[in-house]
């Protein structure tokens, strides 16, 4: 079996963070989002992995995955939808079964259960399903049976009155028959080749399509709040590692301090991640904070936030919380004035406390 990770889009809902970088390279708990997909796929023995890119995303993806030299990059000619991304990999798949895992989805557990349901059930396709509170925003599957897996009767995209609460998550297994299905279905009303349409075609054609209730949590990192929640979840899974320097400070809970980082006269409450060459001075950090390579927190309190590489927070009188600072972003306290001055790119959000 081979694996495919579609990663050609930028992620408009995360602008301005994704104006210059694709969403899968944004950091969560010290790693690019896409790295977690690679780790899960390798954990189940899949070695041959390709990432689908575009003209705009290939360079930043290659840079972010410099530590993964044995990954193949496939270019998607245009943004034609998820089905189009999969169809373009037919020659590379070369007749092998295919596991498809979306680059911006995070799963607590590996695809091991899904792969077993796919192989043991003699399926042509298998889908990871997650129980959600409000399934109206997702593709929703109807299953035969109440067990961990069953045959999929139908998939309805974003139904007004869902028959079940089983959302189709971004994790699939296919035999080569999926490529036949993708050739059979037309482009959708929004101008894209839809993978769910191809799966529905398989069901109508009598193919065995199985659904597997994926255990644990799942997060589609589509919005800033999702990114922060995913960061907190992934931080909670890490252990405690101290490779950097800690002086006159208190470190509590699961905290990773990478080599070259320096923590001085500060309190760190885990879970937290402090990246290489970061500087934390006279600060209180955590819980739920990731600090990227070379970032600085000086004389400030930060909780439940992500500071990317080279960001700096200094001299704040209050607490910085539920925030994301992009690469090289600067946030500091200035002398009190009667006006505010700012430079904000498109789709930015700035909250200023009132009197």
């Amino acid at each position: 079996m081979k694996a495919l990770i579609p990663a050609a889009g930028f992620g408009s809902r995360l602008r301005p963070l994704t104006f210059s970088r694709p969403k899968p390279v944004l950091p969560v708990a010290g790693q690019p989002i896409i790295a977690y997909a690679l780790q899960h796929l390798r954990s189940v023995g899949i070695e041959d992995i390709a990432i689908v890119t575009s003209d705009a995303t290939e360079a930043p993806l290659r840079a972010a995955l410099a530590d993964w030299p044995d990954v193949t990059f496939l270019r998607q000619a245009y943004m034609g939808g998820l089905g189009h991304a999969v169809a373009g990999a037919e020659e590379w798949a070369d007749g092998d079964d295919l596991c498809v895992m979306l680059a911006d989805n995070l799963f607590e557990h590996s695809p091991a259960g899904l792969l077993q349901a796919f192989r043991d059930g003699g399926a042509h396709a298998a889908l990871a399903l997650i129980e959600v509170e409000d399934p109206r925003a997702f593709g929703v599957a109807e299953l035969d049976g109440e067990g961990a897996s069953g045959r999929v009767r139908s998939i309805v995209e974003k139904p007004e009155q869902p028959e079940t609460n089983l959302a189709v998550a971004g994790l699939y297994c296919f035999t080569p028959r999926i490529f036949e299905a993708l050739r059979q279905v037309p482009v959708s009303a929004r101008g894209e080749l839809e993978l769910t349409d191809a799966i529905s075609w398989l069901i109508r054609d009598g193919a065995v399509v199985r659904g597997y209730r994926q255990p644990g949590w799942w997060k589609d990192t589509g919005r800033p709040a999702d990114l922060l929640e995913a960061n907190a979840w992934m931080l909670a899974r890490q252990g405690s590692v101290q490779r950097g320097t800690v002086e006159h400070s208190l470190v509590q809970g699961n905290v990773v301090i990478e080599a070259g980082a320096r923590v001085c006269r500060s309190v760190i409450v885990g879970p937290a991640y402090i990246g290489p060459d970061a500087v934390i001075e006279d600060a209180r950090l955590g819980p739920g904070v990731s600090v990227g390579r070379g970032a600085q927190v000086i004389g400030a309190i930060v909780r439940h936030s992500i500071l990317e590489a080279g960001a700096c927070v200094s001299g704040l009188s209050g607490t910085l919380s539920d925030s994301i600072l992009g690469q090289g972003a600067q946030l500091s306290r200035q002398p009190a004035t009667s006006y505010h001055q700012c430079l904000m790119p498109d789709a930015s959000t700035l909250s200023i406390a009132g009197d």
Side-chain angles (χ1 to χ4, degrees):
M1 175 175 277
K2 296 180 179 179
L4 189 72
I5 305 177
F10 259 79
S12 58
R13 290 180 296 168
L14 275 170
R15 291 174 179 168
L17 293 171
T18 54
F19 273 132
S20 59
R21 292 171 294 157
K23 178 169 52 172
V25 308
L26 296 179
V28 165
Q31 292 192 94
I33 296 170
I34 193 172
Y36 294 102
L38 289 166
Q39 290 168 2
H40 273 322
L41 293 168
R42 287 285 164 79
S43 75
V44 294
I46 301 177
E47 296 295 329
D48 206 346
I49 302 173
I51 298 172
V52 180
T53 69
S54 63
D55 289 344
T57 67
E58 183 165 335
L61 281 163
R62 283 183 179 274
L65 297 175
D67 293 335
W68 296 81
D70 49 352
V71 170
T72 300
F73 291 88
L74 304 176
R75 185 72 62 87
Q76 187 175 6
Y78 61 92
M79 296 295 98
L82 180 56
H84 181 260
V86 174
E90 183 174 8
E91 182 178 349
W92 172 80
D94 194 27
D96 287 334
D97 291 342
L98 195 64
C99 180
V100 177
M101 193 171 194
L102 300 192
D104 56 358
N105 280 216
L106 290 172
F107 294 86
E108 181 176 5
H109 297 296
S110 79
L114 178 70
L115 265 63
Q116 183 175 352
F118 173 68
R119 290 164 174 161
D120 293 351
H124 299 93
L127 325 174
L129 305 175
I130 300 283
E131 294 185 4
V132 297
E133 291 185 6
D134 185 1
R136 291 176 297 176
F138 304 94
V140 177
E142 293 186 47
L143 285 187
D144 285 331
E146 298 293 331
S149 67
R151 189 159 180 171
V152 178
R153 295 198 301 267
S154 68
I155 299 176
V156 181
E157 191 67 29
K158 298 179 180 178
E160 286 296 325
Q161 296 182 327
E163 295 293 329
T164 76
N165 67 341
L166 294 174
V168 179
L171 178 59
Y172 315 83
C173 291
F174 299 109
T175 68
R177 195 171 177 189
I178 187 61
F179 298 113
E180 176 191 359
L182 287 164
R183 286 191 289 271
Q184 296 296 324
V185 297
V187 172
S188 68
R190 62 178 182 170
E192 295 187 351
L193 188 59
E194 309 286 356
L195 187 59
T196 52
D197 288 348
I199 296 169
S200 294
W201 184 90
L202 287 173
I203 294 171
R204 293 193 303 270
D205 199 53
V208 177
V209 177
R210 297 193 66 82
Y212 173 72
R213 299 171 191 262
Q214 180 76 10
W217 50 256
W218 161 66
K219 178 59 66 175
D220 176 357
T221 55
R223 301 168 302 164
D226 298 323
L227 203 62
L228 289 169
E229 188 173 6
N231 183 64
W233 284 350
M234 300 311 291
L235 286 173
R237 291 163 55 92
Q238 70 181 10
S240 294
V241 179
Q242 183 178 320
R243 301 185 181 97
T245 301
V246 177
E247 300 173 341
H248 311 295
S249 298
L250 176 64
V251 178
Q252 299 176 324
N254 290 341
V255 177
V256 172
I257 304 174
E258 297 286 18
R262 184 167 62 89
V263 178
C264 184
R265 299 183 303 276
S266 297
V267 176
I268 313 296
V269 179
Y273 173 85
I274 301 172
D277 303 318
V279 176
I280 314 297
E281 288 185 358
D282 303 311
R284 183 179 179 91
L285 213 67
V289 175
S290 290
V291 178
R293 177 184 291 272
Q296 298 182 11
V297 180
I298 300 173
I301 302 172
V302 182
R303 58 180 294 274
H304 198 237
S305 295
I306 299 172
L307 279 60
E308 295 197 46
C312 180
V313 177
S314 63
L316 300 187
S317 58
T319 299
L320 179 68
S321 181
D322 302 291
S323 299
I324 303 173
L325 273 65
Q327 293 179 346
Q330 308 286 311
L331 180 61
S332 61
R333 183 185 183 188
Q334 300 297 325
T337 66
S338 58
Y339 68 93
H340 300 289
Q341 181 181 20
C342 62
L343 175 63
M344 299 181 66
D346 298 351
S348 294
T349 301
L350 175 65
S351 298
I352 299 175
D355 294 333

